[in-house]
Amino acid sequence: MDAAALTDIGERLDVFVEQVFSSLKRKDQRATAGVYARGLMLDGRRKSMQPMADRIGVDHQRLQQFVTTSPWDPVPVRKTLSRKACDLIVPDAWVIDDTGFAKDGGASPCVARQYSGTLGKVGNCQVAVSVHAATDTASAPLDWRLYLPESWDDRRCDDPETAAAITARRRRNAIPDQERYRSKAVMALEMLDELIAWGRTPPVIVADAGYGDSATFRQGLTDRNLAYVVAVKGATLAHPADAVPATAEYSGRGRPPTRRYPAAATCTDLVLAAGVEALTEVSWRHGTKTGPANPAAALRSRFVALRIRPANRTIPRDEDGVLPQAWLLAEWPAGAAQPTDFWLSTLPEDTSIAELVRLAKIRWRIEHDYRELKTGLGLDHFEGRSWLGWHHHVTLVTAAHLFLTTLRLTDPKAVGQD
């Protein structure tokens, strides 16, 4: 956004900032929040504090102090942002995902050599887990967690010298003592609990296989009465819906046998057994690449939806040893020798295959969010070394993103759309 456009929307931004940052007691803090948001939205390649301060003509120390050392709590701000986002978007799904922030050195909080989907490999980076409200046409982040690797948790280190070095590094980055290593799936469940405590009502939960492959994560959603559509690997084990547990004959020796299912099959094998005759062509949204054979740019492929019973020792069974049913959705593109993508879902049995596909594919919106948050708003440009500073920056970026999303949905011309 150029300076003229930013001036045109200045009054609306001021009102938005006053609402979102109302938990900040001091007027000068709320004013600086507005200045920082302007810096994030104003055109410019780098959105770290010094370049932003130069572009908007303010003292760099003002932004530095507000973001890095000021003790304002970002949680009430995120609570307000989550309410405004859900009211604006009216989401069809909440999407859980994570993204990486490449770093050159090791001074930033929680930076480590770890896998990042953003990098597509193991690299030196931070990783953040996020929950987004999404429809087919709009999305916005609702909450964030900065992933803390095991190498940043001194309690998980047996070597006293290494543990002491980790303790010192945590102290330099002002990481709260209660912040410890836990899996990304656990962090995602924590955010869902937080959002629910804030009064948000979750629709269906969507996640990639990094989360969906965990039976414990899926059970965590079920324990919270949250329906889901989550990606899994083709090697995930399941039984057909009509499979029943049986009790083997008792030989009279040892412990009497319990009711057990026959050997489980992989999701790939279950779909292959259903065969190509079970496939249905489904179109889930319109893209941008038109052609003579596809003038509407419809995104479509072949899918099959089967009722199955996921198999895992951690999945609770009823008194008769029966596993709960779920949907297995699989994509089998034309020309492929076998299915390529798989999802498990606890949506009702009468859910149409078109709806299953639409929700399974809605994750694309979050990639759109990450691209806009990073490329347009400098999500990954924060150069500070404090834990709180990172959370301040991410919260301010989320606020700027929601403001632009609000303009886009309510006044497209204000953000340069026809």
Side-chain angles (χ1 to χ4, degrees), residues 57-73:
V58 299
D59 182 7
H60 163 255
Q61 293 300 322
R62 178 183 178 185
L63 301 185
Q64 181 80 30
Q65 190 277 333
F66 176 70
V67 173
T68 304
T69 61
S70 180
W72 60 274
D73 187 355

Side-chain angles (χ1 to χ4, degrees), residues 237-247 259-265 270 306-311 317-318 320-326:
L237 297 176
H239 303 282
D242 58 2
V244 293
T247 304
R259 286 166 56 84
R260 292 186 177 183
Y261 280 93
L270 289 171
L306 306 173
R307 295 297 288 173
I308 51 94
R309 299 180 188 274
R317 308 183 183 202
D318 67 18
D320 293 328
V322 176
L323 288 163
Q325 286 194 33

Side-chain angles (χ1 to χ4, degrees), residues 103-406:
K103 295 293 180 180
D104 292 329
S108 299
C110 302
V111 67
R113 284 195 59 78
Q114 55 192 321
Y115 178 79
S116 164
T118 305
L119 302 177
K121 61 181 181 180
V122 172
N124 197 61
C125 62
Q126 296 167 309
V127 173
V129 183
S130 55
V131 179
H132 303 243
T135 68
D136 292 320
T137 57
S139 53
L142 300 177
D143 207 1
W144 295 89
R145 291 284 191 279
L146 180 59
Y147 174 67
L148 189 143
E150 289 187 83
S151 60
W152 280 79
D153 190 345
D154 46 1
R155 294 180 185 173
R156 300 182 72 89
C157 180
D158 295 329
D159 177 62
E161 186 175 342
T162 303
I166 296 172
T167 301
R169 183 168 55 167
R170 288 173 59 94
R171 190 177 297 116
R172 285 194 299 270
N173 292 108
I175 297 176
D177 187 62
Q178 69 271 19
E179 290 296 335
R180 297 291 165 180
Y181 166 78
R182 63 261 198 230
S183 70
K184 298 181 184 74
V186 168
M187 298 174 80
L189 292 173
E190 289 174 354
M191 281 189 283
L192 294 177
D193 290 339
E194 183 171 56
L195 288 162
I196 292 169
W198 290 348
R200 309 292 83 81
T201 301
V204 62
I205 306 300
V206 175
D208 66 16
Y211 300 87
D213 274 335
S214 168
T216 302
F217 172 74
R218 300 197 306 267
Q219 188 59 43
L221 296 178
T222 298
D223 292 343
R224 291 163 172 78
N225 296 313
L226 300 177
Y228 60 76
V229 181
V230 295
V232 295
K233 293 186 177 70
T236 301
L237 297 176
H239 303 282
D242 58 2
V244 293
T247 304
E249 289 189 17
Y250 182 42
S251 65
R253 295 181 179 180
R255 184 178 299 175
T258 57
R259 286 166 56 84
R260 292 186 177 183
Y261 280 93
T266 67
C267 289
T268 298
D269 288 339
L270 289 171
V271 176
L272 289 173
V276 293
E277 58 271 17
L279 297 174
T280 300
E281 186 172 273
V282 178
S283 175
W284 60 92
R285 68 179 176 88
H286 294 282
T288 57
K289 295 182 179 179
T290 60
N294 189 9
L299 299 179
R300 54 179 176 245
S301 187
R302 303 186 306 175
F303 296 86
V304 60
L306 306 173
R307 295 297 288 173
I308 51 94
R309 299 180 188 274
N312 192 284
R313 288 178 296 177
T314 64
I315 300 174
R317 308 183 183 202
D318 67 18
E319 293 181 356
D320 293 328
V322 176
L323 288 163
Q325 286 194 33
W327 281 110
L328 168 60
L329 175 70
E331 182 177 359
W332 192 340
Q338 62 181 26
T340 57
D341 297 282
F342 304 84
W343 298 264
L344 294 180
S345 173
T346 54
L347 286 171
E349 191 170 351
D350 61 356
T351 304
S352 69
I353 188 171
E355 181 67 357
L356 288 170
V357 171
R358 186 181 76 86
L359 291 169
K361 293 289 189 176
I362 208 169
R363 272 195 63 250
W364 79 274
R365 281 293 324 178
I366 279 47
E367 296 306 320
H368 180 278
D369 278 354
Y370 286 150
R371 184 170 60 252
E372 188 172 65
L373 288 160
K374 290 182 177 182
T375 304
L377 297 170
L379 178 68
D380 56 349
H381 294 181
F382 181 65
E383 297 174 349
R385 298 181 179 182
S386 96
W387 170 273
L388 184 60
W390 184 92
H391 286 84
H392 282 165
H393 173 75
V394 169
T395 301
L396 286 154
V397 172
T398 302
H401 180 270
L402 182 59
F403 178 73
L404 292 176
T405 301
T406 303

